[in-house]
Amino acid sequence: MITLNNVTKTYARGGVRAVDNLDLHVRRGEIFGFLGPNGAGKSTTIKMMTGILQPTEGTVFIDGVNLAESPEECKAKIGYVPDQHEMFERLSGFEYLNFIGDVYGVSALDRAARMNKYLDMFELGDAAGSLIRSYSRGMKQKLLLVGALLHNPPLWILDEPMVGLDPKSALRLKEQMRAHCDAGNTVFFSTHVLEVAERLCDRIGIINGGRLAAVGTMDELRSGKGDETLEKLFFELTEKDGGEEL
């Protein structure tokens, strides 16, 4: 569902490589967790996957389509939740969701059904008529999630999606992620909560210093290391320079 071929992102000032020659393939039907220390290149990678940033080198494919050549086709398949709440705060929740529905061409019937479903799921219905600037951090996160799922995209790309969510909403999101992938779709998400990644993900990629340190199932990551936790594996891998693909 996602393929990165030799993707590099260099920022002009100082020629720093935020992402360095990254090769990665994320399959249909899997929850893929993307982990790394602060500044490792996670958000830069995600922004290149979603077309917000252009790679300095390399190619991104979404469902076999070259993102640089067909950006609208690729972006229509993605539901994206960023790590920052950059929203139109003078709109109400309903106005924001209707704007998103217009952008993606969601029919009135589907729009109403999905808005009701997700607003109820995240207990946001009573606040949807209020201005977004009055929302708490958690409420804004919930609204971003509803907006990202409104056009029923096959690929969810979620950057720290559980930050700010209450436990009930976090559980419901995890249930939706699993159901989405069980239906043959894909979820790619970053998180710093290693316990969540260990329990939820089908495969995990760990990035360090802009390079992929390891990728695989938990069993593959543990190969030859007994029953080590993801937390211990993470610290071992991110303390090394470079890495290996599993």
Side-chain angles (χ1 to χ4, degrees):
M1 192 64 182
I2 307 171
T3 301
L4 277 62
N5 288 340
N6 303 314
V7 169
T8 295
K9 181 63 179 179
T10 303
Y11 291 105
R13 294 180 181 178
V16 175
R17 286 194 169 195
V19 176
D20 188 3
N21 199 35
L22 184 61
D23 285 307
L24 181 64
H25 180 64
V26 180
R27 305 160 185 159
R28 280 189 173 275
E30 72 176 355
I31 299 177
F32 188 93
F34 197 49
L35 314 179
N38 290 335
K42 298 188 303 298
S43 290
T44 297
T45 300
I46 287 173
K47 287 175 181 176
M48 288 191 287
M49 287 180 179
T50 53
I52 296 170
L53 292 176
Q54 299 300 314
T56 307
E57 300 174 20
T59 310
V60 177
F61 295 91
I62 302 296
D63 198 19
V65 178
N66 188 318
L67 176 59
E69 295 177 354
S70 303
E72 291 185 6
E73 180 181 353
C74 290
K75 291 177 184 180
K77 299 179 180 182
I78 297 171
Y80 171 52
V81 174
D83 62 339
Q84 299 290 331
H85 298 149
E86 297 177 357
M87 307 174 76
F88 303 106
E89 296 204 344
R90 292 183 180 273
L91 298 181
S92 71
F94 281 128
E95 289 170 335
Y96 171 80
L97 293 175
N98 278 307
F99 168 73
I100 296 296
D102 289 342
V103 168
Y104 285 101
V106 182
S107 70
L109 187 63
D110 287 342
R111 187 181 309 191
R114 292 171 192 160
M115 283 173 61
N116 289 335
K117 172 185 174 180
Y118 290 118
L119 288 173
D120 286 346
M121 180 180 297
F122 294 117
E123 299 180 341
L124 199 60
D126 290 343
S130 301
L131 295 182
I132 295 170
R133 65 183 178 185
S134 70
Y135 285 15
S136 68
R137 176 182 175 85
M139 292 166 69
K140 289 177 181 178
Q141 186 73 358
K142 292 177 184 181
L143 189 65
L144 281 171
L145 285 164
V146 176
L149 308 186
L150 192 62
H151 62 294
N152 195 31
L155 172 59
W156 298 359
I157 298 180
L158 314 176
D159 197 352
E160 294 285 350
M162 294 167 203
V163 172
L165 294 184
D166 57 83
K168 183 187 292 186
S169 296
L171 175 61
R172 289 177 173 173
L173 175 59
K174 286 182 280 188
E175 291 171 344
Q176 288 298 300
M177 291 164 69
R178 184 75 271 163
H180 189 64
C181 291
D182 287 347
N185 301 299
T186 303
V187 174
F188 181 103
F189 82 107
S190 72
T191 181
H192 285 297
V193 185
L194 301 182
E195 294 87 350
V196 170
E198 184 168 359
R199 292 195 305 268
L200 188 62
C201 295
D202 299 302
R203 288 196 306 141
I204 291 167
I206 299 175
I207 189 171
N208 189 36
R211 296 184 176 185
L212 199 62
V215 61
T217 65
M218 277 303 302
D219 285 343
E220 289 169 339
L221 293 173
R222 288 189 182 115
S223 180
K225 298 180 181 179
D227 294 325
E228 284 192 1
T229 64
L230 179 58
E231 181 178 49
K232 188 169 182 180
L233 292 167
F234 177 86
F235 287 120
E236 288 175 355
L237 288 163
T238 55
E239 286 173 359
K240 296 176 182 178
D241 293 326
E244 56 181 329
E245 182 167 328
L246 303 174

